[in-house]
Amino acid sequence: QPPALVRLQEKHWEPLIQRIEKDYGVKINIIKTLFGAGQPPATKRILAAVIEDFDEWELAALERSVYSTKSFLAGFALVKGHLSVDDVANVAHVEVLSQIETWGEVEDSHDVDYRDIRRQLGSAACLLVDA
């Protein structure tokens, strides 16, 4: 069985990457080093065109969710409705989840982070609800 981090990355990230590649006809480079080469220009251009059509609420939700998850793809998936708040939180925290699985949970840290990311992403998702 692969290490916890690899298994959780495959479980949470691969479906997200495959969905975005399929839905938008782009190629997402998976970076396996600290110094990645970035994404293809066509991918950047296509996804930028999608964002250019966002209204002010979607832009605010994107900013909040990218800031919270430290991931453009995770924030983008939330705004576009590809993933739920809980799913995006799991994508964003695979490293933490693997540490918890390996070493155990640190009280007043991991449990607080678990709730906090969902609170932040929930507030972004609320911006997307049609009143």
Side-chain angles (χ1 to χ4, degrees):
Q1 179 167 327
L5 179 58
V6 172
R7 187 173 36 75
L8 290 166
Q9 286 173 328
E10 290 171 350
K11 176 182 177 183
H12 295 289
W13 276 104
E14 283 185 9
L16 170 58
I17 290 169
Q18 290 169 358
R19 169 89 188 257
I20 290 177
E21 287 181 333
K22 179 178 174 270
D23 287 359
Y24 300 97
V26 297
K27 171 67 176 125
I28 303 295
N29 289 334
I30 298 172
I31 310 301
K32 296 184 179 187
T33 67
L34 291 177
F35 306 104
Q39 298 303 322
T43 296
K44 293 179 189 179
R45 188 176 57 254
I46 290 167
L47 295 179
V50 174
I51 293 170
E52 287 174 4
D53 288 336
F54 282 6
D55 64 26
E56 60 273 7
W57 299 106
E58 290 168 314
L59 285 172
L62 180 66
E63 186 273 336
R64 176 69 169 192
S65 58
V66 169
Y67 176 77
S68 300
T69 63
K70 299 167 186 61
S71 166
F72 169 79
L73 290 181
F76 184 82
L78 180 69
V79 173
K80 294 302 290 178
H82 298 312
L83 293 177
S84 69
V85 166
D86 196 54
D87 290 337
V88 172
N90 286 332
V91 164
H93 277 174
V94 292
E95 289 83 3
V96 173
L97 295 172
S98 73
Q99 291 173 10
I100 291 170
E101 190 174 306
T102 302
W103 304 107
E105 184 175 85
V106 176
E107 288 186 41
D108 290 332
S109 177
H110 292 132
D111 53 337
V112 172
D113 289 344
Y114 178 90
R115 300 278 184 244
D116 189 52
I117 187 76
R118 284 158 177 79
R119 177 189 57 79
Q120 291 178 43
L121 292 171
S123 70
C126 286
L127 293 172
L128 304 170
V129 175
D130 292 329

